[in-house]
Amino acid sequence: MNYDKKTIEDIDVKGKKVLVRCDFNVPLKDGSITDDTRVVAALPTIKYLSEHGGKVILCSHLGKAKGPDPKLTLKPVAERLSELLGKEVKFAADDNVVGENAKNAVAQMNDGDIILLENTRFRREEEKNLDSFSEELASICDVYVNDAFGSAHRAHSSTVGVTKFVKPCVCGFLIQKELRFLGDAVNNPTRPFVAILGGAKVSDKIKVIDNLLTKVDTLIIGGGMAYTFLKAQGYSIGNSLLEADKLDYSLEMIDKAKKLGVKLLLPVDFRIASEFKDVLPQVTEDENIPDGFMGLDIGPKTEKLFVDAINGAKTIIWNGPVGVFEFKNFELGTCAIAKALADSGATTIIGGGDSASAVNNLGFGDKMTHISTGGGASLEFLEGTVLPGIAALDDN
Ligand code: AMP
């Protein structure tokens, strides 16, 4: 897949109607935004387009709407955007998203104005990527910009379908940054290149492990995933997370790593408890976990093993916590990894989702080179899967 895509800096937007697909899928409580990270992340692209005289028409999905749903209106996002930009962002309330109201709002825009359309999932065609909705979206703009990396792994009307009916189609600054960091790390890394994979399940990361083994010098596996790998090699894992149907796969990956000359590091000790609770941990001597106990974090010897590997690296990608970091007693391993990355001097890239919140909650967010804004999308990127929302944009 070609990641060298045209950006908003490659086109002239003055006086043009610019439809911008953003990721405004923010958490809401009683109609208020509880975390505006995604809104803030969208500002550079919006400001650039407005300052360069574009008529900026923003759109996004929000939540799992399956048609019009007043609880999932994007109105609060328009209000937050207006505050953050210090400039009115008009909300084009319209259950049809591109109905009469939205069209009238667009017709009245002056250069530099910004409006936000209603939740694209108010239209059922959106997730089906139907031309009917894609064409309507295209009909109100001259230029299409995608800046919603978090939705780039989905082929929907507002991320892919619309690009069939409008030219040019370019990326915004957020997607440009994701492509630069994730793309370079995976396809052109400064070596040694180390990947750290954690999180709950092997099954979620099968393709990631498979793909990264062909790219990295060292692959570190921690978190709930590690127990299936250890069990496959004959260690006792007590009641720890196990995916019995992935034992053969684990052995295949261990074998693949050997054949490719990739160092595969697994935990050598654990912090354990007798139940899934935030209690004081016991620490195992080695890989084995006694019956009646479960591993909830890596142990101190493993921390040292993993940190030593991190210290020698020039490029590091991390996806998935190495323990149940939501429990204070079991955050130490994840914390040690985050600190090691922060101190490493390497290019450090954090996959979205849980690893991003772990790094931010532990206070290391601003020490990382890049924290991806897309959980599912960054995972699919690491799998080597073509992201349809990126593929649909004009090549440079
Ligand atoms: P994921 O969404 O796959 O990245 O998984 C993240 C989740 O994995 C977090 O909520 C962690 O609490 C959980 N996790 C990490 N290590 C373990 C473990 N040893 N046992 C159970 N859950 C774990």
Side-chain angles (χ1 to χ4, degrees):
M1 179 176 154
N2 181 10
Y3 297 114
D4 190 12
K5 295 291 173 181
K6 283 218 165 83
T7 79
I8 48 177
E9 288 177 308
D10 297 318
I11 56 167
D12 179 16
V13 296
K14 176 128 186 60
K16 305 247 172 77
K17 288 174 279 177
V18 187
L19 179 69
V20 191
R21 176 54 159 97
C22 300
D23 178 7
F24 292 145
N25 187 26
V26 291
L28 287 173
K29 193 158 189 278
D30 304 325
S32 296
I33 300 169
T34 55
D35 178 353
D36 68 359
T37 309
R38 286 182 166 155
V39 183
V40 173
L43 296 177
T45 293
I46 299 171
K47 274 189 196 156
Y48 177 93
L49 292 170
S50 170
E51 282 164 10
H52 284 77
K55 296 173 180 161
V56 187
I57 307 161
L58 307 173
C59 71
S60 172
H61 82 282
L62 171 60
K64 296 196 185 327
K66 299 273 176 216
D69 177 351
K71 286 202 278 318
L72 291 173
T73 175
L74 276 170
K75 188 160 186 272
V77 173
E79 287 161 6
R80 189 75 193 109
L81 276 168
S82 302
E83 285 164 18
L84 289 165
L85 290 164
K87 172 184 174 86
E88 191 197 7
V89 174
K90 191 167 174 187
F91 181 62
D94 198 324
D95 278 355
N96 280 324
V97 188
V98 200
E100 280 315 303
N101 205 21
K103 284 183 192 157
N104 285 338
V106 171
Q108 286 164 25
M109 290 177 87
N110 293 311
D111 293 0
D113 280 357
I114 308 168
I115 69 167
L116 172 61
L117 302 180
E118 183 54 281
N119 186 348
T120 50
R121 288 198 187 166
F122 280 18
R123 290 288 291 265
R124 288 171 202 274
E125 300 105 305
E126 160 77 335
E127 287 187 79
K128 295 184 191 134
N129 192 16
L130 294 184
D131 284 353
S132 48
F133 184 42
S134 306
E135 276 189 282
E136 281 181 45
L137 285 168
S139 74
I140 55 164
C141 68
D142 310 306
V143 174
Y144 171 78
V145 175
N146 191 349
D147 212 19
F149 184 71
S151 302
H153 57 315
R154 303 210 169 101
H156 293 171
S157 288
S158 68
T159 57
V160 172
V162 62
T163 65
K164 282 201 284 181
F165 304 103
V166 54
K167 280 273 164 284
C169 299
V170 303
C171 67
F173 293 134
L174 251 188
I175 285 195
Q176 184 188 21
K177 187 166 175 247
E178 295 279 2
L179 293 182
R180 191 166 83 229
F181 284 108
L182 282 170
D184 267 8
V186 174
N187 298 314
N188 192 19
T190 313
R191 294 183 182 276
F193 177 21
V194 174
I196 307 154
L197 294 178
K201 291 203 214 137
V202 182
S203 49
D204 289 343
K205 294 194 180 142
I206 285 188
K207 285 201 232 151
V208 179
I209 298 171
D210 208 26
N211 186 41
L212 284 182
L213 275 177
T214 66
K215 315 264 183 194
V216 299
D217 300 292
T218 302
L219 180 64
I220 296 177
I221 293 186
M225 297 164 70
Y227 306 103
T228 303
F229 279 83
L230 291 170
K231 175 85 176 172
Q233 296 174 87
Y235 294 107
S236 45
I237 62 163
N239 305 332
S240 307
L241 275 184
L242 170 68
E243 284 174 276
D245 60 336
K246 295 292 172 291
L247 290 167
D248 287 345
Y249 168 82
S250 305
L251 290 176
E252 265 171 48
M253 290 302 108
I254 291 169
D255 197 44
K256 181 169 177 173
K258 263 192 211 129
K259 285 193 180 126
L260 290 168
V262 171
K263 211 189 260 177
L264 178 65
L265 296 181
L266 288 160
V268 292
D269 64 345
F270 292 100
R271 295 185 170 94
I272 60 172
S274 58
E275 51 188 341
F276 192 80
K277 270 201 174 150
D278 194 3
V279 293
L280 273 186
Q282 298 187 36
V283 180
T284 62
E285 275 298 308
D286 55 24
E287 290 89 341
N288 293 292
I289 296 174
D291 287 349
F293 286 84
M294 60 180 74
L296 295 178
D297 194 7
I298 56 173
K301 287 182 211 159
T302 307
E303 277 175 22
K304 178 159 184 341
L305 177 74
F306 288 2
V307 169
D308 283 349
I310 288 166
N311 284 340
K314 289 271 192 318
T315 306
I316 306 165
I317 284 186
W318 181 18
N319 192 300
V322 295
V324 184
F325 73 102
E326 297 93 337
F327 293 163
K328 268 272 156 229
N329 285 295
F330 297 99
E331 69 170 25
L332 288 175
T334 300
C335 203
I337 301 290
K339 184 168 182 325
L341 257 65
D343 296 342
S344 68
T347 300
T348 49
I349 294 149
I350 312 299
D354 274 314
S355 356
S357 45
V359 163
N360 284 325
N361 293 347
L362 296 168
F364 294 104
D366 58 354
K367 302 271 179 10
M368 302 299 156
T369 313
H370 178 64
I371 300 184
S372 177
T373 49
S378 72
L379 214 53
E380 290 199 22
F381 201 104
L382 299 182
E383 288 175 354
T385 309
V386 171
L387 301 181
I390 307 289
L393 301 176
D394 299 348
D395 290 334
N396 213 353

